[in-house]
Amino acid sequence: MFKQKPLAAAVSMAVMSLATLPAVAQNQNTNPPDTAVPVQQVQVTGIRGSLQRSLSVKKDATANVEVISAEDVGKMPDKNLADSLQRLAGVAVRTDYDEAEKVSMRGTNPDMALIIFNGHTVSGGDWYVADQGSSSRSTSLSLMPSHVLQQAVVYKTSQANIVDGGLAGTVNVTTRRPLSAKEKVSGVISVGAAYADLPGRWGPDMNGSVTWKNDAGTFGVLASLFKEKRFVRRDSVSRFAYGTNSGWDVINTSTMLGITDASLAGTGYKAADLNGVRLPGSMSSEFVESVRDRQGGMLSLQFKPNRDLDVVLTGFHSEMGADNHGRLTSSAIYSMLLGKNQPLGSTVATAANTNSNGQRVYAQIRNPVIVNEKTVYGHDLKVLKAADIVFPDGTTPQYVGNSEGFFRDGAEATSAFLDLDAKYRVNDDLTVKTLLSTTRGVGSTKLDQGLTLARYGTGISYALGGLHDAPYVKYHNAGSNRPGLNADGSGYTIVDRAASGVRTVDREWSGQFDAEYRLDRGLFKSLESGVRFADHERTSGRRGPAFRNGISVDATTGKVTSNTPTPTTGWAPYPGDFGDGLGGGWWDNSGFTYTRDATKEYIAANTKVTSPEWERRVNTEIDMKERQAAAYLMANLEGDRWGGNFGLRYSRTKTEANIATPTPAGACQRTEPGKPAVPCPAYPGAITTAGNGAAYFDNTVFNPNGTVVYYLKPVSRTYEKWLPSMNLRYELDKEQILRFGASRTIGRQNYNILGSGFGTPTCDANGCRVTGPNPDMRPLISDNLDLSYAWYFGARSVVAVSAFHSKIDGYVKTGATGTSTVDLVDPRDLTVKTFAINTASQQGAKISGLELQYEQPIGNTGFGFTSNVSRAKTKVDDGRPMVGASEWAGNLGLYFENDKLSTRLVANYRGEYVNSTTAPSPTANSQGQSVINGVAMPTAPTYADAVTTLAFSLNYYVTKNIELAFSANNLTNAKRAQYRYSEEEQQKLDVSGRQYYLNLRYKF
């Protein structure tokens, strides 16, 4: 009878050679430790072999795990590790554009899952400018091609010898090792192309690897290179716009004076009937083009002179260029109804009013269509589904919307690591291991630059359809979609431009030492212990050039008064097929934007060189260090039909943040670029050389008191946690296994919650508030229970069910007004006042769920299927939904394989989830109440609706060594929809098209 070693040893040996699993086992009765038992094997390859190996590791594990092997990934239509992981029960992904990027587990958001490579964390950069500045802890897997892995083990239950930080679970990805190869020299070369049907463009898709080992099998080298390029496009309709026009709000006839009984004549409504009705602030279309140019490689050296010593050095580097060009055409319904003419959507009392022939005018609502909705909180509301939002007849063109185009030049992300993994068997009873690693990731955008134009006309008509259909949209007397004003005042004029770059650097070095001592005393088989230390650093910030001249807007009329001509060349219309995949019948899908080159030329001509220090925007900066230390002790148990482990892990976290803090107005003077730094005696650390976005125009006297001056305030906190864990595994018989797990896990807060700067100061009748960090935020702690049953009723066959429950302490509650204050300038009267800090606080949350898994070959036909479904119910103390939590997720895969052909069709489903807080920043005030028709309800979050995607792969073996591979993702061109209070309030709808890959592989 064969019995497995403790899980840590089993997994490490499985990584080294999945094809030789008997080497993991030992004969307890007749064989000394680590002596391989000769077993005659029938080698099963392809999909069937990979499924068999994955299920073998899952079956032998003490903890509740899911496993993907390298061969399994090779037969999947997967391009990165997130694509592969989403096939597993209880795992969901966040998809940006057409590629899965962030992994979440068991109904949580990606920040609560820890992804490690070869046992250590990996720093990674994000390619998109908003993500680069967010400082989330979630790992973007867009930089990790799927073919670099040997195996990925998803730990759903924790144990003491796993790196802490995975509140909901941990994914350990192990990369390939050279001595696992069977031949002295072997490798694969894959040459092909990727085609995206929405942009209609091809890109190269190439990778290759070679493995060599000496005749003795004691030293080996593995080298791998990849270069993969895809073109990306996304077509969208949304409610995104400028100012208060963005999103949804309610009708208020006391401020929207154009809504009268007379304007509603013949509709059956009175003006009072429309009060409190929800209406969209805008009708917008978005068009984005981008590229994913990923390249890099991996080098692994392995030295194993005997059975006692095994040393592996692995280096990995990946970089991805992702320049992206976003365009927006939006309306300004809310501004129109309020009679406001400010060309960037401001509707505050001081904003410019509409003016036609010397009279202020307000847009009217004509032909309203009102429907009832039931909100996600159970309240009854009304929604204005269709209407004509028009100014009275004879009105001259007024502000009706905007057009913008932003080109993110030099957008890129990199991720790299170097690790040294050594394992030494001191004697038959003691084995020691050490792991040293360093990792660095960068996400940067050289220049996020663009132009914004205001549009003038007399109205807009719209009609919202279903959640998954584009709305009907028509502009009135607004001119054609091209830059420039017409003689009657309709059309477009430039009103704003912006340029800045962002750079985020994440780095860590870590070291750990582990030892396992064999006991074989009764139930105790071995003891494991270890220590780990990690030094982590995160820096982030924006920089931006100074503009030569400003754009002045008349405070009364809202019209541009400065000499800023609107370029009428260098623009291009949206493509003729824009929005074809969005449905909805006829709608205005026209739009324009300046080309990339024209945008770059305009910004370059209108900005000037100052100094690197002046370009700093200190209030955007994050400067944090985090030191983690841990120690653990774990006992491995084994009985006649059962095994397990129990242990205790000690975790210590010390954070040091330099928080950008504003000095009081007048306390410090700013330094003009190129001049010696002006000291600030009151605040010796004040950064007076940074411009922080202050104007520095040509031929203008420098103002040393232009904007806020910041200093960096150091804050340090230390937290210590004890994390017990227990896993039990009981064999009902050889095929049926029962597992139970109990653990306490830790999750650290996002960097921007702990160390971001202050922003958005606001004063009103209730006082002054400002958003800011909360360095006192404790790590999240989760107490977890897991019970699972698995029946391995045949080769490559399993039926499994898992029930789990997690109780979380420390879940983020955003926007709470704390007791901390800071002195800032009141933007209304420019006097210094005390501001209460709106920041994050903490609360409790719970997750309970069930997972089902069923996979089986269909007789001897070559066909088979894999399937899983999971449900996770979440509950947060304040009653609001948990961000990123999908209640339902599932997969269904069908495969066929014979000696010449291997093919797979996989459907992936993810249920709806909250994809953001109600404000972009976790420190912003999103905990407020909205009072609608006298009913107070929580402010509406944004939901991503459920989506199903379909992927396909086909591998044809021309010869033993030559393989033709074809795969396709997003075959149904799935629409991704978002909504607010209910599906009646469509927020966004987009499509990104299908992607096809064709490769010729040569194996040797």
Side-chain angles (χ1 to χ4, degrees):
M1 180 177 178
F2 295 98
K3 297 180 180 180
Q4 80 283 355
K5 286 184 176 182
L7 178 61
V11 172
S12 65
M13 293 299 292
V15 170
M16 293 171 57
S17 180
L18 289 174
T20 56
L21 282 174
V24 180
Q26 64 180 21
N27 189 313
Q28 300 290 338
N29 298 319
T30 61
N31 292 283
D34 288 331
T35 299
V37 181
V39 176
Q40 185 175 1
Q41 295 188 54
V42 176
Q43 185 69 30
V44 182
T45 61
I47 294 175
R48 293 166 295 177
S50 64
L51 291 176
Q52 180 174 306
R53 286 188 287 274
S54 295
L55 287 182
S56 294
V57 176
K58 176 181 172 70
K59 182 179 180 181
D60 291 340
T62 301
N64 185 4
V65 302
E66 300 291 344
V67 182
I68 293 179
S69 69
E71 183 74 12
D72 197 24
V73 170
K75 306 305 178 185
M76 286 279 200
D78 300 334
K79 302 310 295 181
N80 69 35
L81 295 181
D83 282 329
S84 304
L85 292 169
Q86 70 175 325
R87 315 294 181 195
L88 299 175
V91 179
V93 298
R94 192 191 86 182
T95 299
D96 290 333
Y97 296 83
D98 62 347
E99 186 172 18
E101 291 201 31
K102 303 293 182 74
V103 172
S104 61
M105 295 178 61
R106 289 188 159 179
T108 61
N109 67 59
D111 296 317
M112 297 183 183
L114 177 66
I115 298 177
I116 55 179
F117 279 68
N118 298 334
H120 60 81
T121 59
V122 172
S123 296
D126 288 298
W127 63 268
Y128 184 56
V129 63
D131 290 331
Q132 288 168 352
S134 71
S135 290
S136 165
R137 287 186 184 269
S138 60
T139 301
S140 174
L141 294 179
S142 60
L143 289 163
M144 308 297 179
S146 55
H147 52 77
V148 303
L149 73 82
Q150 179 70 29
Q151 187 183 70
V153 180
V154 179
Y155 291 89
K156 297 180 179 180
T157 58
S158 186
Q159 51 192 42
N161 62 351
I162 297 177
V163 177
D164 53 86
L167 189 82
T170 302
V171 181
N172 186 22
V173 179
T174 50
T175 56
R176 299 175 185 269
R177 293 185 170 187
L179 293 185
S180 298
K182 298 178 183 178
E183 306 295 334
K184 179 179 179 179
V185 179
S186 60
V188 60
I189 298 173
S190 177
V191 179
Y195 177 75
D197 70 346
L198 194 54
R201 301 186 66 179
W202 292 88
D205 188 70
M206 300 180 290
N207 64 79
S209 64
V210 60
T211 303
W212 172 88
K213 60 182 180 180
N214 61 8
D215 292 333
T218 59
F219 179 73
V221 180
L222 184 153
S224 175
L225 294 173
F226 54 89
K227 181 173 178 54
E228 303 160 345
K229 186 174 184 178
R230 294 185 301 108
F231 293 93
V232 179
R233 172 177 149 186
R234 186 181 70 185
D235 296 358
S236 306
V237 290
S238 72
R239 306 290 78 77
F240 181 76
Y242 280 86
T244 50
N245 299 292
S246 186
W248 286 74
D249 214 303
V250 296
I251 296 173
N252 182 351
T253 58
S254 66
T255 56
M256 301 175 179
L257 302 183
I259 306 172
T260 64
D261 292 346
S263 68
L264 294 169
T267 65
Y269 291 106
K270 300 291 186 181
D273 299 331
L274 271 63
N275 277 319
V277 173
R278 297 275 291 175
L279 86 160
S282 67
M283 289 290 144
S284 305
S285 60
E286 300 174 54
F287 172 51
V288 181
E289 289 180 306
S290 183
V291 67
R292 302 287 186 278
D293 193 357
R294 181 171 60 193
Q295 56 189 345
M298 184 177 72
L299 179 66
S300 181
L301 309 177
Q302 186 173 9
F303 178 57
K304 190 176 182 181
N306 50 53
R307 68 173 188 171
D308 295 327
L309 178 64
D310 189 1
V311 182
V312 183
L313 177 69
T314 303
F316 172 84
H317 176 82
S318 177
E319 62 184 47
M320 184 171 70
D323 288 358
N324 53 99
H325 192 193
R327 296 85 147 176
L328 169 74
T329 299
S330 65
S331 61
I333 293 174
Y334 201 61
S335 289
M336 294 162 62
L337 290 171
L338 289 172
K340 289 294 182 179
N341 214 37
Q342 207 283 335
L344 288 174
S346 174
T347 55
V348 298
T350 56
N353 298 325
T354 51
N355 188 297
S356 178
N357 300 317
Q359 298 292 323
R360 184 177 182 182
V361 290
Y362 296 83
Q364 302 171 344
I365 294 180
R366 300 177 184 174
N367 304 311
V369 176
I370 299 174
V371 300
N372 296 316
E373 69 168 322
K374 179 74 73 172
T375 75
V376 292
Y377 298 111
H379 300 103
D380 293 315
L381 291 178
K382 296 182 183 296
V383 174
L384 187 67
K385 290 284 284 188
D388 300 319
I389 312 296
V390 294
F391 289 102
D393 297 341
T395 300
T396 57
Q398 305 293 316
Y399 169 64
V400 295
N402 295 92
S403 175
E404 73 166 21
F406 271 76
F407 175 47
R408 285 99 189 192
D409 192 14
E412 64 177 7
T414 65
S415 180
F417 67 81
L418 178 68
D419 61 53
L420 178 65
D421 188 349
K423 180 180 179 181
Y424 177 62
R425 194 179 72 154
V426 180
N427 53 46
D428 289 345
D429 294 327
L430 178 62
T431 299
V432 296
K433 295 182 290 183
T434 185
L435 175 62
L436 303 175
S437 70
T438 180
T439 179
R440 183 176 186 267
V442 179
S444 63
T445 298
K446 181 179 179 181
L447 199 60
D448 178 11
Q449 57 200 311
L451 306 175
T452 302
L453 294 89
R455 190 177 196 181
Y456 295 91
T458 60
I460 180 174
S461 297
Y462 78 88
L464 289 168
L467 180 62
H468 294 88
D469 293 309
Y472 166 88
V473 178
K474 179 182 179 181
Y475 286 87
H476 300 286
N477 302 315
S480 59
N481 253 309
R482 57 184 300 155
L485 287 175
N486 301 309
D488 64 353
S490 64
Y492 288 97
T493 184
I494 188 170
V495 293
D496 196 20
R497 62 271 165 96
S500 66
V502 63
R503 179 178 174 86
T504 297
V505 179
D506 189 89
R507 59 170 62 92
E508 179 179 293
W509 71 265
S510 64
Q512 64 184 71
F513 178 83
D514 302 271
E516 181 176 5
Y517 183 72
R518 185 179 180 87
L519 292 174
D520 277 335
R521 295 179 181 176
L523 299 178
F524 290 88
K525 305 307 296 181
S526 68
L527 284 177
E528 292 185 54
S529 63
V531 293
R532 179 179 184 270
F533 180 81
D535 193 326
H536 198 104
E537 184 177 350
R538 181 83 166 208
T539 58
S540 178
R542 273 187 176 268
R543 293 178 178 268
F547 280 91
R548 294 184 177 278
N549 299 287
I551 295 180
S552 302
V553 176
D554 188 280
T556 302
T557 66
K559 299 290 186 178
V560 174
T561 58
S562 58
N563 183 23
T564 308
T566 299
T568 55
T569 60
W571 62 275
Y574 285 5
D577 63 349
F578 172 74
D580 284 357
L582 295 173
W586 187 92
W587 55 287
D588 186 355
N589 65 346
S590 63
F592 79 91
T593 189
Y594 294 104
T595 65
R596 298 182 179 195
D597 289 341
T599 301
K600 292 173 64 175
E601 291 170 2
Y602 180 93
I603 295 299
N606 285 273
T607 56
K608 59 183 178 180
V609 176
T610 53
S611 69
E613 276 298 301
W614 178 263
E615 292 187 353
R616 283 181 68 181
R617 301 186 178 181
V618 181
N619 59 310
T620 70
E621 294 180 354
I622 294 176
D623 182 4
M624 287 197 63
K625 292 183 179 180
E626 184 175 84
R627 292 177 173 85
Q628 303 171 15
Y632 74 90
L633 179 66
M634 187 175 81
N636 295 298
L637 313 175
E638 190 172 305
D640 184 31
R641 298 173 62 180
W642 66 278
N645 59 59
F646 68 89
L648 183 65
R649 187 178 185 91
Y650 166 77
S651 174
R652 182 179 187 269
T653 305
K654 181 179 181 180
T655 61
E656 297 176 353
N658 289 316
I659 298 176
T661 305
T663 62
C668 302
Q669 288 195 326
R670 193 176 310 280
T671 303
E672 186 173 2
K675 301 292 180 65
V678 176
C680 182
Y683 293 87
I687 306 172
T688 63
T689 54
N692 293 314
Y696 186 57
F697 300 139
D698 291 346
N699 304 314
T700 302
V701 177
F702 177 74
N703 179 9
N705 300 309
T707 58
V708 178
V709 174
Y710 291 84
Y711 69 99
L712 299 181
K713 180 179 180 181
V715 177
S716 177
R717 299 289 186 272
T718 300
Y719 304 98
E720 297 177 338
K721 300 294 180 182
W722 293 92
L723 309 173
S725 62
M726 178 182 68
N727 290 279
L728 297 176
R729 176 183 183 275
Y730 181 72
E731 296 182 3
L732 300 173
D733 54 38
K734 291 184 179 181
E735 289 80 31
Q736 300 183 79
I737 298 175
L738 191 67
R739 291 182 176 87
F740 172 75
S743 64
R744 172 169 288 180
T745 53
I746 186 174
R748 297 176 177 88
Q749 304 288 354
N750 283 342
Y751 302 105
N752 54 351
I753 293 177
L754 298 172
S756 63
F758 294 91
T760 62
T762 302
C763 292
D764 54 29
N766 297 316
C768 294
R769 299 167 302 282
V770 63
T771 61
N774 183 357
D776 294 322
M777 292 280 284
R778 308 180 313 277
L780 293 83
I781 295 295
S782 180
D783 292 326
N784 316 291
L785 297 174
D786 184 279
L787 180 64
S788 65
Y789 163 81
W791 178 29
Y792 300 88
F793 58 91
R796 302 177 297 282
S797 303
V798 65
V799 172
V801 58
S802 299
F804 59 90
H805 175 78
S806 295
K807 183 180 179 182
I808 301 172
D809 177 45
Y811 185 76
V812 177
K813 181 182 179 71
T814 61
T817 301
T819 57
S820 300
T821 61
V822 63
D823 289 338
L824 292 174
V825 177
D826 184 342
R828 300 176 302 176
D829 55 19
L830 302 181
T831 60
V832 177
K833 295 181 180 177
T834 299
F835 283 67
I837 301 174
N838 278 352
T839 189
S841 62
Q842 298 183 268
Q843 59 184 324
K846 296 178 181 178
I847 304 173
S848 299
L850 192 69
E851 297 167 351
L852 300 174
Q853 178 184 5
Y854 177 29
E855 55 186 72
Q856 178 183 358
I858 302 175
N860 296 317
T861 64
F863 287 95
F865 66 89
T866 61
S867 63
N868 60 72
V869 63
S870 62
R871 186 185 188 191
K873 295 287 289 184
T874 62
K875 184 179 181 181
V876 181
D877 284 355
D878 63 7
R880 297 169 193 256
M882 181 177 286
V883 175
S886 288
E887 182 176 351
W888 290 97
N891 294 274
L892 176 62
L894 305 175
Y895 65 85
F896 171 78
E897 188 173 51
N898 59 26
D899 293 339
K900 299 291 290 184
L901 184 70
S902 172
T903 184
R904 201 163 196 165
L905 182 68
V906 184
N908 177 265
Y909 171 83
R910 183 178 184 183
E912 66 179 17
Y913 64 96
V914 175
N915 68 335
S916 69
T917 60
T918 51
S921 169
T923 59
N925 186 8
S926 59
Q927 298 295 309
Q929 296 283 318
S930 296
V931 179
I932 305 173
N933 288 341
V935 179
M937 60 191 72
T939 302
T942 301
Y943 281 84
D945 195 40
V947 64
T948 300
T949 57
L950 191 65
F952 173 75
S953 66
L954 184 148
N955 301 72
Y956 178 71
Y957 307 102
V958 181
T959 68
K960 179 181 179 181
N961 301 102
I962 299 176
E963 174 186 347
L964 186 64
F966 170 79
S967 63
N969 284 331
N970 195 26
L971 278 172
T972 58
N973 192 19
K975 300 178 185 179
R976 298 184 181 274
Q978 300 176 22
Y979 63 91
R980 297 296 289 273
Y981 271 128
S982 79
E983 294 185 5
E984 300 293 342
E985 298 188 16
Q986 183 193 67
Q987 182 67 15
K988 190 174 186 179
L989 179 70
D990 61 54
V991 292
S992 56
R994 303 169 183 86
Q995 303 85 45
Y996 304 97
Y997 304 88
L998 183 64
N999 295 81
L1000 184 65
R1001 296 172 183 157
Y1002 174 65
K1003 299 179 180 180
F1004 58 92

